[in-house]
Amino acid sequence: MDSLLFLSARRLVAHRPLPTVPAQLYPILFQAAFLDGRPLVLQDLVAQWPFPVLSFQQIVGRRELLRDHPSKLCIQSVILAVVEQLRQDLEEAGRDSSRCRLRMLDMTGLGDDAAGRAPEGMSVWSCTVALAKACVEVSKHRRELQKRRSRSHRGRSAATAAPRFVDIHADLFVNGTSYGILWDALQAGNAGPLRLKCREFQAEELCLAGIVSLLESLDSSGVRRVDLRFNNLGLGGLSLVLPHLSRFLDLQSLRLPYSNVDVRQPTPESVLGIQCLARELGKLQSLRELNLGSSRLSGNLRHILCKLEAPLESLELAFCSLLPADFDFLSQSFHAPALKRLDLSGHDFSQTLLHPLQHLLEEASASLLHLDLMECRLRDSHLDALLASLRHCSHLRSLGLFGNSFSTVGLKDLLRKTVVLPDLCLVVYPIPVDCYKPGLDPGWILEEQLDSECLGAVSAELSRMLESFGRADIIWTSNPYGHGALDYFSL
């Protein structure tokens, strides 16, 4: 329920111009204007912002509010307002006529969530481009003013006041289309009035030189995540990129999925590449999350993680072609009892890997919160062994089993034996094999071959079972995309 103060703020921002109000009301007015989609009012508020910091997440609130409201015009209006204030400061150098006291604009946390984001929402890519263009524009305006003043004061020294700087903290997402403008912005920001400070950096489909150039241009302070995916770097490319990460002392998360790494057949080059990879990972003292998804690592996990001096809390190894020896290493390592999130999707646990998986889960049981075992060829016959280990994971919050081959009977057994886990709140279960038309290979089933009436009946029955156990709070769903991606920093 909205507070009386918030309701009053909504009434106030419905009219423009705003009356003069005390400084302490600016945050609640900003929140009301943002959530009600009033970009012009937001520009007015930024123009007279009475505090050094403006943080979207602190003022607007939960990420869901940022995601579900038509925010694109509002975010753009705030950026434009900051640009306009800096332009005025540059043009009125030496005067202190501006009432705006803003020194840091924090736009972190405005991430995409394709499931549920409003159509008028602003993606991280679009926000990155908008911020980059703003930095370039302010820098260009400053250079033009300096040239004009230099010409007008030719032969005598021109008094110039120190410009006001505004740091924009943001999560940046770049690909080949936006590389040029972001690179220009980072170069301009080194000396310009508007400076980009990156918290989370994601690059897709960039060449090796482009990735290195951007990493070198980022301010080293405050970078907590680097996410490089679909860049086709290979082991050799990673060996050249990773040395540029050691200067990010706050780096906690490194995500390298789909990097085209395949070391299943050892060669002298791959041995050297793995040694380099391990050495550079060992230099990342704050690293707590590592994603090597879709890398073919068979038998090499020990060699890749051997230099880490602190345990990982989140490890994603989906579709990594791991061998029993990799599981044995992980079970015996200091990572196992620290793991909060583990993704082993895409491995065949129907044969020799099931016992190593059990051992690993038992070693991680005291800390494990999120477990993904999607598309792992698990069947009803494997449930007893799996459940024997899962029951020890007393703090488990979410379990992903989509894409396995359980029957309705198997799912009911899974529900009965996991409902005792007190913290469990989400289970993504596979569509039961008896909900497909007979004679089909479950691995190649199309949506039109699904008996939706049967699936609806199963879903209703599972809901009734949850209610009968007093656990209607647990979400059981066959939709692997409907609840947002788990993030290490929200664990």
Side-chain angles (χ1 to χ4, degrees):
M1 183 179 295
D2 293 331
S3 67
L4 181 60
L5 178 61
F6 181 73
L7 292 173
S8 300
R10 294 185 73 176
R11 291 289 299 272
L12 200 59
V13 300
H15 304 282
R16 189 173 179 257
L18 295 175
T20 301
V21 296
Q24 60 266 30
L25 292 181
Y26 271 70
I28 192 68
L29 291 173
F30 187 97
Q31 183 187 54
F34 184 91
L35 296 180
D36 284 357
R38 302 190 182 279
L40 296 179
V41 174
L42 289 171
Q43 288 188 9
D44 295 342
L45 290 170
V46 172
Q48 301 187 63
W49 195 253
F51 308 108
V53 177
L54 194 167
S55 170
F56 271 80
Q57 281 201 309
Q58 288 183 7
I59 294 174
V60 177
R62 301 187 311 277
R63 182 171 181 168
E64 291 78 7
L65 292 176
L66 291 168
R67 182 192 69 198
D68 294 336
H69 284 74
S71 57
K72 186 172 185 177
L73 287 177
C74 291
I75 294 173
Q76 289 175 332
S77 71
V78 171
I79 297 172
L80 290 173
V82 173
V83 170
E84 181 59 29
Q85 287 303 304
L86 289 175
R87 287 173 64 98
Q88 289 182 17
D89 287 353
L90 290 169
E91 291 170 358
E92 300 174 4
R95 307 178 196 172
D96 191 19
S97 57
S98 174
R99 293 184 58 186
C100 181
R101 296 292 176 260
L102 184 65
R103 295 296 181 272
M104 186 183 86
L105 176 63
D106 188 345
M107 301 183 70
T108 57
L110 301 181
D112 306 274
D113 188 348
R117 181 162 53 85
E120 291 80 18
M122 196 170 196
S123 68
V124 179
W125 185 90
S126 297
C127 189
T128 299
V129 172
L131 291 173
K133 288 181 177 178
C135 291
V136 171
E137 178 184 341
V138 174
S139 180
K140 180 180 178 181
H141 189 67
R142 183 189 186 194
R143 290 196 304 271
E144 291 174 348
L145 285 175
Q146 288 175 335
K147 288 179 182 178
R148 288 209 306 263
R149 286 171 181 155
S150 177
R151 288 194 297 267
S152 62
H153 294 86
R154 191 173 299 160
R156 54 196 175 94
S157 61
T160 58
R164 176 162 64 101
F165 293 96
V166 174
D167 291 335
I168 296 187
H169 293 241
D171 301 325
L172 304 178
F173 172 32
V174 59
N175 57 19
T177 306
S178 57
Y179 166 81
I181 187 64
L182 180 59
W183 190 87
D184 289 343
L186 293 173
Q187 304 311 305
N190 291 331
L194 193 57
R195 304 181 292 197
L196 271 180
K197 307 288 184 179
C198 180
R199 184 185 70 159
E200 299 186 7
F201 176 79
Q202 180 177 342
E204 288 187 5
E205 299 178 340
L206 286 185
C207 66
L208 173 62
I211 294 172
V212 169
S213 178
L214 290 177
L215 290 174
E216 289 179 337
S217 301
L218 292 175
D219 188 305
S220 61
S221 63
V223 177
R224 71 178 191 178
R225 167 175 286 156
V226 170
D227 188 336
L228 308 175
R229 58 180 64 202
F230 303 114
N231 294 297
N232 199 32
L233 293 172
L235 186 59
L238 287 179
S239 299
L240 295 174
V241 167
L242 263 59
H244 298 276
L245 301 181
S246 58
R247 68 189 188 93
F248 301 130
L249 301 182
D250 300 320
L251 187 67
Q252 299 177 58
S253 171
L254 177 60
R255 303 175 63 83
L256 303 169
Y258 312 107
S259 291
N260 192 25
V261 173
D262 189 343
V263 291
R264 288 175 292 184
Q265 299 296 327
T267 65
E269 292 78 12
S270 69
V271 170
L272 290 175
I274 289 173
Q275 291 174 351
C276 177
L277 182 60
R279 182 171 62 251
E280 296 304 327
L281 289 176
K283 295 178 183 178
L284 306 179
Q285 300 295 311
S286 299
L287 190 66
R288 297 297 179 269
E289 177 179 53
L290 180 62
N291 182 338
L292 295 171
S294 295
S295 297
R296 304 298 194 260
L297 305 179
S298 305
N300 289 286
L301 194 60
R302 175 190 304 273
H303 306 300
I304 292 171
L305 303 184
C306 65
K307 298 293 184 180
L308 291 176
E309 296 183 3
L312 295 169
E313 296 178 353
S314 176
L315 184 57
E316 297 179 67
L317 298 170
F319 299 92
C320 282
S321 303
L322 299 182
L323 301 178
D326 296 308
F327 284 87
D328 292 342
F329 157 73
L330 201 52
S331 299
Q332 298 164 16
S333 71
F334 67 170
H335 303 292
L339 285 173
K340 296 179 180 179
R341 181 183 180 190
L342 180 62
D343 187 350
L344 295 170
S345 299
H347 289 90
D348 184 357
F349 291 116
S350 67
Q351 303 294 330
T352 58
L353 290 181
L354 184 57
H355 181 69
L357 171 64
Q358 286 182 273
H359 187 201
L360 175 56
L361 291 181
E362 289 164 6
E363 294 298 322
S365 60
S367 60
L368 196 61
L369 304 178
H370 305 280
L371 174 65
D372 280 314
L373 298 174
M374 300 192 185
E375 299 184 31
C376 288
R377 302 190 185 183
L378 291 166
R379 298 179 180 272
D380 289 2
S381 58
H382 307 118
L383 272 175
D384 285 343
L386 179 63
L387 287 165
S389 300
L390 285 179
R391 283 199 296 266
H392 291 99
C393 301
S394 57
H395 300 293
L396 194 67
R397 297 178 188 171
S398 75
L399 175 63
L401 292 169
F402 186 82
N404 291 293
S405 299
F406 297 148
S407 69
T408 299
V409 173
L411 287 181
K412 292 179 183 178
D413 189 37
L414 177 68
L415 187 150
R416 280 190 290 267
K417 292 178 179 176
T418 57
V419 76
V420 298
L421 298 174
D423 296 331
L424 190 64
C425 57
L426 173 64
V427 175
V428 181
Y429 63 88
I431 296 173
V433 292
D434 42 298
C435 285
Y436 289 109
K437 296 175 183 178
L440 298 172
D441 179 0
W444 296 96
I445 289 174
L446 301 177
E447 186 175 350
E448 57 265 25
Q449 297 165 330
L450 170 67
D451 186 338
S452 56
E453 185 176 338
C454 176
L455 180 59
V458 170
S459 177
E461 188 169 2
L462 294 175
S463 296
R464 286 193 294 269
M465 291 179 65
L466 289 171
E467 290 181 9
S468 68
F469 284 113
R471 293 302 309 272
D473 57 306
I474 304 179
I475 297 173
W476 268 63
T477 177
S478 59
N479 181 2
Y481 308 109
H483 297 274
L486 296 171
D487 188 83
Y488 166 72
F489 293 105
S490 65
L491 296 180

